[in-house]
Amino acid sequence: MRRYYLAERLKNRHTYIEKLIIFMPLITVCLAARLTADYFTIDSYNWWYIALFPGMLTLIGAALGNRDKKMGNRAIWALPADMGAVWDGKVLYGIRCMGIALSVFLAAVLCIGAGLEQILQRTFLIDVPVGRHILAVVVLFITSLWQIPLCLLIQQIFGTFPMVLLHMGSYIVLGAELSLRPYFMALPGGITSRLMCIILKILPNGLAAESGSMTFTPGLLEWKGFWPGVLSSLLWFLGLWAAGRRWFERQVER
């Protein structure tokens, strides 16, 4: 599997993916610092996990799928290679890109946040300890894994533009709504927003999760929903990875 992952890294060297995973999180954090400094923590995370991060993963999925699909995947189907392992290599490379982007995001939030507090004497509406920042980013990573195989699978079946519409449309519309429901783990799009309520005390609408905020209920902050959300995300990820792998293998058998 490692050689297929390395092949994907080689194919995607010097492409927009390498720039995207660095500059997208940096731009997000810098915009939050410039436009809404007192709400820096809230807006950095909210803008990131609600729209910009899934948007970035959509573009990564499009790039990973398009590179071979432009030639009808014939270049890889003609090889004496395990097609399941080829799919695994694509997913693993997407996961690597996601991990780098989240690491850059975490570093930027901590560094720029410290600068705003200590140099410009800003006081944030929500003060998040460093440990909570780290936990939030780890949870973001785990609860977003499913997006990589899903975007790849939709892109391979329907193409890039339908994949962007389907994924981003359903994520933004359904994710925020599902995260407020007791059954938020039923679909993976609502899990991240719900767990950010628990960890960071931030609602999907960008408000602080406190009494008086629109859509707030005390149940959103209960830690009893944490592990079901994490486990459900992992199950969705494994299921989508397996489904995409099987579908990709069957294309060669036709």
Side-chain angles (χ1 to χ4, degrees), residues 5-126:
Y5 160 75
L6 293 175
E8 288 299 323
R9 281 192 64 179
L10 185 61
K11 282 192 291 186
N12 289 282
R13 286 183 64 189
H14 309 301
T15 64
Y16 75 82
I17 292 181
E18 293 187 341
K19 300 176 179 65
L20 190 71
I21 60 179
I22 301 298
F23 290 109
M24 182 76 87
L26 285 177
I27 290 171
T28 303
V29 177
C30 289
L31 279 176
R34 179 68 180 86
L35 299 177
T36 58
D38 293 339
Y39 296 84
F40 171 74
T41 304
I42 291 178
D43 288 340
S44 292
Y45 278 95
N46 190 250
W47 296 352
W48 182 240
Y49 69 77
I50 288 292
L52 294 172
F53 184 46
M56 185 196 74
L57 295 182
T58 302
L59 294 176
I60 289 173
L64 290 175
N66 264 335
R67 203 156 305 283
D68 293 314
K69 194 177 180 183
K70 286 179 180 178
M71 297 181 288
N73 287 324
R74 291 185 295 273
I76 53 176
W77 288 344
L79 296 173
D82 179 359
M83 290 300 112
V86 171
W87 181 265
D88 294 343
K90 292 180 180 295
V91 173
L92 289 173
Y93 181 74
I95 291 172
R96 170 190 177 269
C97 294
M98 185 174 74
I100 292 173
L102 285 173
S103 299
V104 173
F105 176 80
L106 175 61
V109 168
L110 292 177
C111 293
I112 295 176
L116 289 172
E117 285 184 310
Q118 297 175 16
I119 299 173
L120 300 181
Q121 302 299 309
R122 291 283 191 174
T123 301
F124 304 141
L125 181 62
I126 291 181

Side-chain angles (χ1 to χ4, degrees), residues 1 23 29 39 70 85 90 97 100 106-107 143 174 177-178 185 187 198 202 229:
M1 185 187 300
F23 290 109
V29 177
Y39 296 84
K70 286 179 180 178
K90 292 180 180 295
C97 294
I100 292 173
L106 175 61
T143 59
L174 296 177
E177 178 64 24
L178 282 171
M185 72 287 293
L187 290 174
I198 297 171
I202 300 172

